[in-house]
Structure formats: C-alpha cells, structure tokens
Amino acid sequence: MNGKTSGVVKSKTREKFDLAVQRLSSLVSLIATKASGKTKAQYKKIFKRVSQLENLIEKAQRAGVKRTFYVYRAAWLYGYKEVAKSYLATLSEKYVNPQKNPQLEDFENVNYLIKRIEKYPPDPGHKRKDEPGSDWGGGERSVKAISKRAVASLIGRMAAKTGKDPADLAWEVIENNIESCKFAWHIAAIWCIGARTAEFDRREVMKGVRVIARGGHLEFTIYGAKTSGGRHGQPMRLIKIKAENKPACALYEHCKKESKGVLLEAQAEQLQDAFTHWSSKVQAWVGRKWKVTSYVARHRFASIAKHSLHDPVKVAYAMGHRTDRSQQYYGTIQQYSGGVLISTQN
C-alpha cells in the first residue's frame, strides 16, 4: 500500500472488505464442529505449535501418512477457526456503522486468515459430504475409519489362513509376560468386547469396566465413553459372552474368585500405548507397516456382533453407539474370524 492511505483503506474498498469478511464467515461455518471435548483438547495442544504445524502437515503429506496428515490438518482448521471466530466477533462490534472505513490492518488480517484456512482444504477424493453447508470434517472421519477397518480386514484374512484367532495370538504374547504387563486383564477385556480405552478411565465419573465370571460366561458392565450427555453413545451397556478364546478363558479364571466381579480401571492413554506395545510383539504382525491398536479389536468385535446378533439396533448397543449408523464403518461379517456374542441387555 502507498503512503496516501495513512493506515486506512479508502471508502470505496469497504465493499471488498465486507465481501472478505463474508468469505471468512462462510469458511468458519464450513469447518466441522462435531468433535468431542477430548478431541478438541488434542487439537488445541497441537495448534499451540502452529509455527511447526505447517511443516508437520507437509511432511506427513509428502510421506503419504494419511492418518497423521488428517489429524494435523484437522488441528490446523480447528485452531484457525477459533481464531477467526474471535476476530469476526471483534470486527462485528468495531464496524457496526456501514460507512466506517476499515483499518488496513483489519483488511490484511481477514485475508491472512482466509489464506490460512484455505491452505489445506478437504480432500475431494475422500469426502463424504463436503458440499456448501456441510462439515469439512467428513473426509477426515471417512479416511480415519477406513484405515482402521483395513487393518482389521488384513488381520482377519491372516487369521483365516492360519486358522488362529487374532485375540489368541495377542494373548499368547501377554501370557508369557504376564508379570510385566500392567494392563493384561484390561487388554483381555478389549479383545473380548471391543471396549474403548476411554471406557476404562476413572478420571471421569462412572467410568470403568466391571467383569463378572459365572457359569462359563463373562458378563461385562461398561460405562460408555463419547456419551456427551447421552447424545452420541450409550451411557451404559451390559454384554455377556461365552469364555471360549484364550483371553476370555484367562479373564474368566482371574475374575471367578470375586463374586461381585472385578472393576478394571486405567488411564486411556496408558492403556492404548500398552495395547499397541504388546500387540507389536505378535510374531505374525512384526515388520508390518500398520500398527495393531485397540480399534482393531473393536473392529473384530463388530464382526462378531454382526455375525451373532443380525439386528443393527443390538449391534449398535453392543458397540456403545447411540444410533445404528456408525457401525457401517466397523468390521463386517466377512471379516468374522470366530467368537460368539451370547447376548446384550438393552
């Protein structure tokens, strides 16, 4: 800009300024907002390193690591959305009078935020509904779900070839190191019922998984995660399975001494790390490009639920979902590799 503006954009550009503000508002409205408190906290933590974040995103993009790329990009969009929302609120108060000339600094800041948000748009090749008025997060959620399901499918095919249940393979490693595995029974429970690691976390009210062993069956009481006041997940569910595979039999022996059952508790992050750590030691999975996380066990359980229950409503309940829509992103009957879900009490 030349010196004639003296820090103030000429009045004839007020219309351009208003259009830029409208554009920024439109972008803010398109960015997904359906994230849990835990996810938002993760995004905030990542966005604090915004000076490094751009390099991290581009590095993940070049390396083709989709999951990392989408998480970093989501944090980028969430962070700039929050900045833009706050700034737009300030501008709406500052420029109530439509005749008031906008400051050059404000004009530049609006354009800067537009460029930052538009730098990493949704991937059209993986979008679900990125049309105007829809969440920008649709593509991210879709790719994230597919990647987990793909790993579960690979393990299912490996199980079909070897005739071994993935849960048995994972438990054999832990069984040989039972003294050094702090979360052995938690991991056994995850392989049995596909519970989320957050459902073992007692830092929140009414969390934890209670297990009762009787009559050759394991009865699980799970206080759900992702409930958000009961809107997105089941606040509590009861599941009964037959103690057949190795982790189920071991867990049965561990719990049958307690008539009131055993309450399994752990911090979600530590439990997730432990699950992945011990799974990486399974010989059949060593050297693979993918990691076996607790969500692989969750996909496995989904295939069992779909094979045993047939009713989408009951499957949703068993998975801890509020509706029957989410299960479409989880294991299929074709991935079924053994196991029987006896009942759900919904």
Side-chain angles (χ1 to χ4, degrees):
M1 302 295 292
N2 56 42
K4 294 181 180 180
T5 59
S6 301
V8 177
V9 181
K10 294 178 181 179
S11 58
K12 67 178 182 179
T13 61
R14 174 60 193 258
E15 184 179 351
K16 292 183 179 179
F17 176 74
D18 289 340
L19 288 173
V21 170
Q22 289 174 17
R23 174 60 181 160
L24 182 59
S25 299
S26 176
L27 289 173
V28 167
S29 68
L30 285 172
I31 299 173
T33 57
K34 296 176 183 177
S36 65
K38 182 178 177 181
T39 300
K40 289 179 181 178
Q42 180 189 14
Y43 289 165
K44 287 178 182 177
K45 185 176 180 181
I46 295 173
F47 190 72
K48 283 181 180 178
R49 299 180 295 160
V50 67
S51 59
Q52 306 170 25
L53 187 53
E54 190 170 1
N55 290 332
L56 291 172
I57 292 173
E58 292 178 358
K59 183 178 179 181
Q61 195 172 23
R62 287 195 302 270
V65 185
K66 288 184 178 179
R67 182 175 180 181
T68 303
F69 169 69
Y70 283 117
V71 169
Y72 284 154
R73 187 177 68 177
W76 173 279
L77 290 173
Y78 176 81
Y80 277 113
K81 174 184 177 178
E82 293 302 303
V83 173
K85 280 172 62 178
S86 176
Y87 195 60
L88 286 169
T90 301
L91 293 179
S92 66
E93 294 178 4
K94 189 174 181 179
Y95 296 105
V96 174
N97 182 355
Q99 303 302 320
K100 183 176 180 180
N101 289 330
Q103 296 292 318
L104 176 60
E105 181 183 10
D106 290 331
F107 206 159
E108 290 177 342
N109 287 341
V110 169
N111 285 323
Y112 173 80
L113 288 171
I114 290 173
K115 288 178 181 178
R116 300 304 272 178
I117 292 173
E118 290 184 330
K119 187 173 179 65
Y120 299 109
D123 185 345
H126 295 287
K127 70 179 182 179
R128 263 195 266 168
K129 49 175 186 178
D130 290 331
E131 300 299 324
S134 300
D135 289 341
W136 276 29
E140 283 88 323
R141 288 195 296 273
S142 179
V143 170
K144 197 173 181 182
I146 290 169
S147 65
K148 293 170 184 172
R149 186 168 52 187
V151 175
S153 180
L154 284 168
I155 289 181
R157 288 201 296 271
M158 290 170 67
K161 288 181 180 179
T162 61
K164 290 188 176 181
D165 186 340
D168 288 346
L169 292 174
W171 185 253
E172 286 171 3
V173 173
I174 294 175
E175 196 172 32
N176 294 329
N177 299 274
I178 197 75
E179 297 299 325
S180 56
C181 183
K182 180 180 177 182
F183 300 112
W185 307 117
H186 304 68
I187 294 172
I190 291 172
W191 277 113
C192 287
I193 56 169
R196 304 178 182 97
T197 55
E199 290 170 333
F200 293 84
D201 202 325
R202 292 289 288 182
R203 286 178 292 180
E204 298 183 36
V205 179
M206 294 300 285
K207 288 285 189 293
V209 175
R210 184 170 292 280
V211 191
I212 297 176
R214 55 187 169 199
H217 296 87
L218 288 168
E219 299 173 10
F220 296 86
T221 302
I222 307 145
Y223 296 101
K226 295 188 177 180
T227 54
S228 300
R231 291 176 296 170
H232 303 299
Q234 295 289 343
M236 187 183 79
R237 61 192 188 277
L238 305 174
I239 297 175
K240 182 179 179 182
I241 69 167
K242 191 173 182 180
E244 288 186 325
N245 62 20
K246 290 184 178 181
C249 289
L251 187 58
Y252 185 90
E253 292 300 317
H254 176 69
C255 297
K256 71 177 184 180
K257 303 168 188 176
E258 302 291 336
S259 60
K260 293 183 179 179
V262 174
L263 181 65
L264 301 174
E265 307 169 81
Q267 289 190 11
E269 297 86 354
Q270 293 180 3
L271 180 53
Q272 182 64 263
D273 289 345
F275 190 101
T276 305
H277 169 76
W278 288 104
S279 296
S280 68
K281 295 180 179 294
V282 176
Q283 191 60 40
W285 305 336
V286 171
R288 303 285 175 173
K289 293 182 179 180
W290 34 260
K291 290 184 179 180
V292 179
T293 69
S294 64
Y295 263 83
V296 172
R298 190 159 167 75
H299 279 277
R300 172 188 172 276
F301 178 73
S303 72
I304 294 173
K306 290 177 180 180
H307 181 270
S308 304
L309 299 174
H310 306 293
D311 183 352
V313 174
K314 290 184 177 180
V315 173
Y317 175 84
M319 295 294 293
H321 296 150
R322 193 66 174 176
T323 71
D324 61 2
R325 181 180 177 183
S326 298
Q327 64 191 256
Q328 65 183 301
Y329 301 110
Y330 285 84
T332 64
I333 292 178
Q334 288 73 27
Q335 293 173 9
Y336 174 72
S337 58
V340 178
L341 180 63
I342 301 300
S343 67
T344 59
Q345 301 174 37
N346 56 336

